[in-house]
Amino acid sequence: MKLNEIAIVGLGYIGLPTAALIASKGLDVVGLEINEDICKIVNAGDIHIVEPGLADMVKQVVASKRLRATTVVEQADVFVIAVPTPHKANYSPDLSYIRAACESIAGVLKKGDLIILESTSPVTTTDTMSAWLASIRKDLSFPIEGQYEGEIDVNIAYCPERVLPGNVLEELVKNDRSIGGVTPACAEAARSFYQLFVEGDCVTTTARTAEMVKLVENASRDVNIAFANELSLISGHFSIDVRELISLANRHPRVNILQPGAGVGGHCIAVDPWFLVSSAPSLTKMIRTAREVNDSKPEWVVVQLEKKLSSYLLANPSKNMNAVRIAFFGMAFKPNIDDLRNSPAIEVIKLFREKHPNIKLELIEPNVTDLSGVALPCGEDHDVSELYQLTSLEEGLSADIGVILVAHDEFKNEPALNAHQFINVVW
Ligand SMILES: NC(=O)c1ccc[n+]([C@@H]2O[C@H](COP(=O)([O-])OP(=O)(O)OC[C@H]3O[C@@H](n4cnc5c(N)ncnc54)[C@H](O)[C@@H]3O)[C@@H](O)[C@H]2O)c1
């Protein structure tokens, strides 16, 4: 297999670090990216995402001419596709980005090329991709699942990404990889490619298994968190401290219950299980239920806050409800990051706002400096600043009541948050 030129399709959170890392190993890499601004930024040796160590690496590989970005598709020996795979409003997967990527590279494919899909995808997507390409390039042969005979012109494989944002450059090298080929020969070709820069084990399997491995990893986290979240509901019902309950149960040598929270958010765990559910609805009762348990947790948090508000008003009868100072500690989808995508904390804030449209809410998020890009409901008569105030932790501590929604270090290190007026749903 030739490795003169590697093309990474999509220079986002996964594609750009992958492109830079491969270029840093001395290979020539081109980033095929539809967003012209991203191409300009990368070609200037800069980056458009936050990831430790990436800025220096991109600067170096662009200066040494190992990495460049372009919107114009060109020939390469290996194509790695890392485009988005969101789900639609009805939770079915949106494969339009993968299809567009395939259509764009189809014209430049040649005999001997290798295509690897890295986007998180429903099971059978890699087979479908092969069929899409075959329908466009009738002059080339593409692999078909289960048919291993005969020569194939273009190898096609699936290799999911399991890196942790914030530690991507290390995990790209150190993590084990599950490499699924549409045929065993495809898997072997992809393995030779990953072994150029991966120090973890490169384990080969079928494309379908590798697709499902990724979905199952995230569904497993989702199901386990749902169990902890359900325990917090049952414990609340019996006036039991769920943290004490879990800590005691975890003393059993074969029990390891996770911690409950305000729900599950982000772009992976809250999304990927739906790819399994939508493709096999009658077989995924537990995975679906876990999604529903986690998605309904913000409603439960709002009910706890309303109970707190009622007790506060009973104890302070002269206070007008709309003048009660209510603080929400944390908006990100998990601790110590600024990422607000699918955040259950924001869901709590939105649900509370819908039920109490006139109370000004104090929001404490140490990793965010302004609320202008955050979609928060205001109704027709208000703007964001009238109904929400991004405030300091110190200010928030003087609120009448509050709820801790994210276990940021700043909050965990603040003993005053243990005070009775604050509900803690995260640690
Ligand atoms: N971000 C993560 O931590 C993470 C972890 C594991 C898996 N994944 C998966 O990896 C995939 C990519 O995720 P991401 O976070 O890098 O997404 P992203 O949105 O950060 O980046 C995707 C990039 O692809 C570009 N793009 C879209 N269509 C294109 C096309 N036809 N041709 C060329 N470029 C195109 C976009 O402009 C964008 O820059 C998704 O399937 C995601 O689920 C992401």
Side-chain angles (χ1 to χ4, degrees), residues 9-15 32-35 38 82-85 97 100-101 118-120 161 163 165 214 267-268:
V9 188
L11 292 180
Y13 283 95
I14 295 300
L32 304 177
E33 168 56 63
I34 48 169
N35 184 322
I38 295 178
V83 296
T85 42
Y97 295 88
E118 283 206 0
S119 302
T120 304
E161 196 41 81
V163 288
K214 172 69 189 175
H267 49 280
C268 289

Side-chain angles (χ1 to χ4, degrees), residues 184-226:
C186 295
E188 277 312 317
R191 173 156 65 179
S192 337
F193 167 69
Y194 281 102
Q195 281 174 333
L196 295 171
F197 59 97
V198 171
E199 289 173 15
D201 291 341
C202 291
V203 185
T204 55
T205 179
T206 64
R208 289 179 185 205
T209 307
E211 287 162 342
M212 188 144 159
V213 164
K214 172 69 189 175
L215 303 182
V216 162
E217 286 167 3
N218 284 339
S220 158
R221 299 277 301 157
D222 203 39
V223 167
N224 283 293
I225 297 169

Side-chain angles (χ1 to χ4, degrees), residues 91-93 122-124 212 215 273-284:
Y91 295 118
S92 68
V123 180
T124 69
M212 188 144 159
L215 303 182
W274 287 119
F275 290 176
L276 285 170
V277 174
S278 72
S279 58
S282 63
L283 305 173
T284 47

